[in-house]
Amino acid sequence: MELSIVCGTNRGLYGKLKRRFKNNSRVHVLGYVEDISLLMDSADLYLTKPGGISVSEAALKGLPMVFVDAVAGCELHNMDFFISRGAARTASPPFKLAALCTELLGDEAALEAMSQSLLHFKGLRAAEAVCGRVEADCYENQTARGAV
C-alpha cells in the first residue's frame, strides 16, 4: 500500500508530515500539485473534505471517497448526498476513519460498488438541467406577472 498526501499550500502541515514520514518510502508527502487529476487516476480511495470541486472531480473519475472534516453548509450537503447513494463513507474519530480506509482498501467489491455508484452521475447533464429549470421558473414568473 502507498499513501500520497497532498498538503496544498499548507506549508506547516507539509513540513510536519515530511519530517514524520521521511524514512517511509511508501508515504509521499506533496505540497501544491497541478496534476491532482493524475494522482486521482492512480488512487484506489480518496480521503478528502467533501468540497464541491474535490467531490465533482472524484465522482467523474469513479473514485471512491472517504470524507473527513466536513464544514457546515455545502460540504455537509455534499457528504450526505454521496453517502446516501453508497458512493462515499465517513467515520469519526480519526482512528475509526483510519480503520475504515484500511477496511475499504482490503475490500475490492466494496470499492467497485462505490465506484459504480459514482459513475452513474457521469452521464447526467446537470448544467442543462439547472438551466432548463431556471428558464422554466423565469417563464412561470413572467407569465404570472402577465409579462409574456
Side-chain angles (χ1 to χ4, degrees), residues 75-99:
E75 288 186 3
L76 285 177
H77 292 294
N78 290 341
M79 185 173 73
D80 292 344
F81 178 86
F82 285 101
I83 288 173
S84 70
R85 285 156 178 82
R89 307 260 308 265
T90 193
S92 187
F95 75 89
K96 287 186 179 180
L97 193 64

Side-chain angles (χ1 to χ4, degrees), residues 34-124:
E34 294 194 11
D35 59 350
I36 194 74
S37 180
L38 291 175
L39 286 171
M40 285 183 171
D41 288 341
S42 69
D44 296 310
L45 186 64
Y46 185 40
L47 178 64
T48 185
K49 288 179 51 144
I53 294 172
S54 299
V55 298
S56 296
E57 196 164 2
L60 285 174
K61 292 181 173 291
L63 179 58
M65 295 175 277
V66 172
F67 294 136
V68 61
D69 294 336
V71 176
C74 186
E75 288 186 3
L76 285 177
H77 292 294
N78 290 341
M79 185 173 73
D80 292 344
F81 178 86
F82 285 101
I83 288 173
S84 70
R85 285 156 178 82
R89 307 260 308 265
T90 193
S92 187
F95 75 89
K96 287 186 179 180
L97 193 64
L100 173 61
C101 290
T102 302
E103 173 191 326
L104 286 171
L105 287 168
D107 188 344
E108 287 185 36
L111 290 175
E112 180 61 24
M114 292 170 77
S115 181
Q116 289 303 312
S117 180
L118 287 163
L119 290 174
H120 163 77
F121 301 111
K122 195 168 187 171
L124 299 178

